[in-house]
Amino acid sequence: MPTITWKTESGAEISAEVAEGHTLMEAALANGVDGILGDCGGSLACATCHVVVDDAWVTAAGSPTVLEEDMLDLVEAGRRPNSRLSCQLRAHAGLDGLVLYVPGA
Ligand code: FES
């Protein structure tokens, strides 16, 4: 299982092994990551699962879909260059070591 690390602006750092196929929004909730709410349950309707992908992981994380792009414009903390909605990121072996920042938390 890949290990994912979330870092918040307040300095918290949480790392967890995430089963392949699980979304990184679900994993954040399961591990008590501040700032990730996932209000819509992952249906691309709330933008409360906002994360910023570490520069080194942008290629591995892939590109947002058109629908995700639209929702990214609504994130509360303001969109950043590597912003993603973590309900659209699924754990897989290629993301082992991934670092995500949680803006505004
Ligand atoms: Fe609502 Fe990701 S959980 S957009």
Side-chain angles (χ1 to χ4, degrees), residues 1 6 12 17 21 26 35 41 55 74 86 92 96:
M1 287 193 286
W6 292 263
E17 290 188 336
E26 295 168 320
D55 285 341
L74 304 177
S86 57
H92 62 82
D96 187 32

Side-chain angles (χ1 to χ4, degrees), residues 54-67:
D54 184 89
D55 285 341
W57 290 94
V58 169
T59 301
S63 302
T65 63
V66 172
L67 285 177

Side-chain angles (χ1 to χ4, degrees), residues 9 11-12 16 21-22 25 32 38 53 57 78 81 85 93 95 98:
E9 288 184 351
H22 284 202
M25 177 273 284
V53 176
W57 290 94
L85 295 175
L95 294 181
L98 172 67

Side-chain angles (χ1 to χ4, degrees), residues 14 21 26 33 50 77 87 104:
I14 295 174
E26 295 168 320
V33 177
H50 180 206
C87 66

Side-chain angles (χ1 to χ4, degrees), residues 25 38 40 42 44-47 49 87:
M25 177 273 284
C40 75
L44 266 183
C46 71
C49 60
C87 66

